[in-house]
Amino acid sequence: VHVADFTADPASGVPQAYRGKFMGFTVDGTTLNGDGVHPTGLNYLKRLGVTHVQLQPIFDFATVDEVSGEDYNWGYDPLNYNLPEGSYATDAFHGEVRVRECRAMVQALHSAGLGVVMDVVYNHTYYSYSWLERTVPGYWNRRWENGSLTNGSGCGCDLASERTMVRKYLVDSCVYWAKEYHIDGFRFDLMALHDVETMNAIRAALDALPGGEDILMYGEPWQGGSTRMEHGAIPANKQAAGLLDSRIGFFCDNTRDAIKGGVFNAGSAGYINGDMYCGYQVLHSIPAWRGGQADFMPQAPGQVVQYVSAHDNYTLWHKLSVSCPEASEEKKKAMNRLCAAIVFTSQGVPFIQAGEEFLRSKPLPEKKGFAENSYNMPDAVNSIKWDNIHEYPDMIAYYKGLMALRKAHPVFRIQSEAEMTQNLCFLSDTPENVVAYLLKGKGADDTPENILVIFNGNDEEILYNLPEGKWKILVDDKTAGADGKKNISEKTDVEPLSALVLEKE
């Protein structure tokens, strides 16, 4: 979530002075409005069931006037890496205020039981003649043989992470944020512009801190363009998964595109919206791509961040609207639920965009379509519309149920290759466009458990022959949760575009 997006909307329930600010995260409680009890953003997060909040860049960036607060940017235009962004403070003139308020935000999230992940943009500086470059001209940025700056970031000024003092700076910066602001994780923008050795050095430095082994590290395993690494440095992309520390993860665009279709062609479809060939790719997504079918091989499921939407590109709801323009709202909601069910029952680390669970939308003014890249658009487009939590309580309840399911059943959080091979089994005798698999293992109370997961990508319901035994329903087409409801056996209908998760009695 973007700091401003979280509370800029008046319906966020926070005082005017805190809207769009660090302090907006510190307001816990509920307010009354026309719809009855209305939770503040923080109170809502506590109820939702997420474990961490990933904040889009909170260190100082270049293109927002910190005093007027009239500008908007996502923050991928870094200026000063070790300083909180002033436009998120209630007073941009006094440096101690932004420091205090940034810490207060982190503390409030911690008090709510939530970890804080910081989105860091170490791959480039906004200005080619940055403060860093001015200290030692010609050292900090990568260049082609002719002396021109490389442009793997799309900004024409990539940082040369493979150089000794650049690497040291990046390590020291992450350690600084972890020690001084108690950050619980780092998400690396365009991580493939960093080299493997630097990423592993950051991991080792964080591990050396008290409790540092619990700090998350993951990033985007791609570049925005070509760059020029020196000294035989290896980019930290998906193909380098085996060279990275096994606790350095990456966003899996393979999973994203298999489920809902490619992000660079809004009309393209995936498994849930019409391209049934993608069902084969969904098969590989479920065990976190551990079968070697793609051009990368994770060392552990935890290296794979499973998702269908993030801040880039269309929101999930917009993607479904553009790729299926004739679909009714109910059909698109079914697709949305199936997306979520696949993500939350797959191995790896599940991730959602803020507001995905209540059909977050970014419509352009005057009904001119949807915003695909809203990095510098106003709050009116980007802010989370909190009134929607009253419009789509069924969707929120479904996401909450999936999170509760995942937490309650360890079989959805397999850690080792041996356990994966032994306890995850795909079922071959399934109807067309249906994916089904069995998970075996020990439950939270150490008792054996057997879970059956079925995805129906068809527009019609199917009749599925269940394995022998009595099964209780944990997830169906409209509801999800950790505890089962009615028992079934032998055969069951699986509704169109839906998931069915069953636990064996």
Side-chain angles (χ1 to χ4, degrees):
V1 69
H2 183 274
V3 169
D5 294 358
F6 190 59
T7 57
D9 184 56
S12 64
V14 306
Q16 175 70 50
Y18 288 175
R19 290 178 195 164
K21 309 291 185 181
F22 291 133
M23 295 300 288
F25 283 84
T26 68
V27 181
D28 188 6
T30 58
T31 59
L32 289 175
N33 63 12
D35 298 302
V37 177
H38 186 91
T40 62
L42 179 61
N43 189 271
Y44 172 83
L45 286 179
K46 289 166 60 175
R47 300 177 183 202
L48 183 60
V50 294
T51 61
H52 292 71
V53 176
Q54 176 187 297
L55 299 172
Q56 285 182 256
I58 60 172
F59 54 37
D60 189 49
F61 43 90
T63 59
V64 171
D65 185 329
E66 294 188 342
V67 179
S68 72
E70 294 176 356
D71 303 314
Y72 180 97
N73 202 283
W74 279 347
Y76 298 97
D77 51 340
L79 187 62
N80 295 301
Y81 285 115
N82 299 317
L83 177 71
E85 166 60 23
S87 65
Y88 295 155
T90 58
D91 179 354
F93 287 97
H94 296 87
E96 71 276 13
V97 175
R98 66 179 73 189
V99 171
R100 269 202 312 266
E101 293 183 350
C102 183
R103 288 178 171 178
M105 172 186 66
V106 175
Q107 185 178 37
L109 288 164
H110 283 173
S111 297
L114 299 167
V116 180
V117 177
M118 181 178 175
D119 190 340
V120 288
V121 194
Y122 292 124
N123 58 75
H124 75 282
T125 53
Y126 180 69
Y127 298 110
S128 58
Y129 197 45
S130 65
W131 313 131
L132 297 175
E133 185 66 9
R134 293 184 196 189
T135 61
V136 186
Y139 182 78
W140 287 87
N141 298 119
R142 293 192 185 116
R143 284 175 164 77
W144 298 111
E145 290 87 343
N146 65 5
S148 62
L149 293 166
T150 63
N151 194 27
S153 61
C155 300
C157 43
D158 308 334
L159 282 191
S161 64
E162 68 276 18
R163 295 178 183 171
T164 302
M165 295 309 293
V166 181
R167 176 178 296 147
K168 174 173 168 49
Y169 181 86
L170 301 190
V171 171
D172 289 350
S173 182
C174 288
V175 169
Y176 170 76
W177 283 98
K179 289 176 65 176
E180 299 300 328
Y181 290 85
H182 298 264
I183 296 296
D184 304 287
F186 295 90
R187 177 266 192 196
F188 291 82
D189 184 65
L190 298 180
M191 186 173 71
L193 284 177
H194 302 314
D195 65 290
V196 166
E197 188 175 345
T198 294
M199 295 303 300
N200 285 339
I202 294 171
R203 178 74 268 178
L206 294 175
D207 286 348
L209 298 175
E213 292 184 354
D214 293 328
I215 294 175
L216 299 176
M217 277 184 66
Y218 57 91
E220 294 179 304
W222 49 74
Q223 303 175 2
S226 299
T227 194
R228 177 177 174 249
M229 290 190 180
E230 303 169 329
H231 316 305
I234 300 171
N237 54 25
K238 283 186 296 187
Q239 289 68 39
L243 301 176
L244 290 165
D245 187 287
S246 64
R247 290 176 301 116
I248 298 176
F250 51 84
F251 285 92
C252 192
D253 51 334
N254 301 70
T255 296
R256 177 196 69 196
D257 295 350
I259 295 175
K260 69 167 187 179
V263 298
F264 299 113
N265 178 2
S268 67
Y271 175 69
I272 60 94
N273 48 352
D275 187 347
M276 293 307 164
Y277 174 78
C278 290
Y280 295 105
Q281 296 170 300
V282 170
L283 280 171
H284 305 317
S285 302
I286 291 162
W289 299 90
R290 292 292 299 125
Q293 299 86 0
D295 59 350
F296 61 95
M297 176 66 85
Q299 298 178 64
Q303 273 193 300
V304 179
V305 178
Q306 306 275 32
Y307 77 117
V308 287
S309 71
H311 65 276
D312 281 321
N313 313 110
Y314 284 125
T315 67
L316 175 57
W317 187 246
H318 291 170
K319 170 66 177 179
L320 298 177
S321 299
V322 174
S323 62
C324 304
E326 304 302 320
S328 66
E329 179 171 293
E330 284 306 311
K331 183 174 181 178
K332 288 187 290 184
K333 287 171 70 176
M335 294 176 186
N336 190 306
R337 285 190 292 267
L338 183 53
C339 281
I342 296 172
V343 167
F344 279 100
T345 57
S346 293
Q347 304 299 320
V349 180
F351 173 100
I352 63 170
Q353 181 185 20
E356 178 188 309
E357 73 281 11
F358 49 84
L359 314 185
R360 185 175 181 183
S361 184
K362 295 182 180 181
L364 293 171
E366 300 177 7
K367 298 182 179 180
K368 293 182 178 180
F370 308 117
E372 185 172 11
N373 183 15
S374 60
Y375 78 98
N376 63 351
M377 294 182 182
D379 290 335
V381 173
N382 281 296
S383 63
I384 294 175
K385 310 303 188 292
W386 285 104
D387 281 338
N388 282 357
I389 65 176
H390 301 294
E391 189 171 351
Y392 300 109
D394 56 328
M395 295 298 298
I396 297 171
Y398 195 80
Y399 272 76
K400 289 175 68 173
L402 289 173
M403 294 180 205
L405 170 80
R406 189 178 181 91
K407 290 176 181 178
H409 296 280
V411 293
F412 293 114
R413 309 190 307 277
I414 294 175
Q415 300 298 315
S416 70
E417 174 68 12
E419 189 182 358
M420 183 87 75
T421 302
Q422 183 178 354
N423 294 333
L424 194 158
C425 175
F426 286 100
L427 303 179
S428 57
D429 187 18
T430 58
E432 189 176 11
N433 305 328
V434 173
V435 174
Y437 63 98
L438 278 169
L439 281 168
K440 299 180 180 180
K442 292 185 177 181
D445 56 359
D446 217 31
T447 57
E449 66 177 4
N450 292 271
I451 303 288
L452 172 62
V453 182
I454 306 167
F455 302 135
N456 179 15
N458 295 287
D459 282 333
E460 305 85 28
E461 70 176 32
I462 57 103
L463 184 65
Y464 191 85
N465 294 315
L466 297 174
E468 184 179 353
K470 292 184 178 180
W471 300 83
K472 58 181 179 179
I473 300 173
L474 303 177
V475 176
D476 60 20
D477 61 316
K478 295 287 177 59
T479 62
D483 301 319
K485 40 186 182 179
K486 68 178 182 179
N487 292 334
I488 55 175
S489 59
E490 296 184 359
K491 296 181 180 180
T492 186
D493 290 325
V494 184
E495 295 298 319
L497 298 171
S498 74
L500 187 65
V501 181
L502 308 170
E503 181 180 12
K504 192 171 186 179
E505 291 268 290

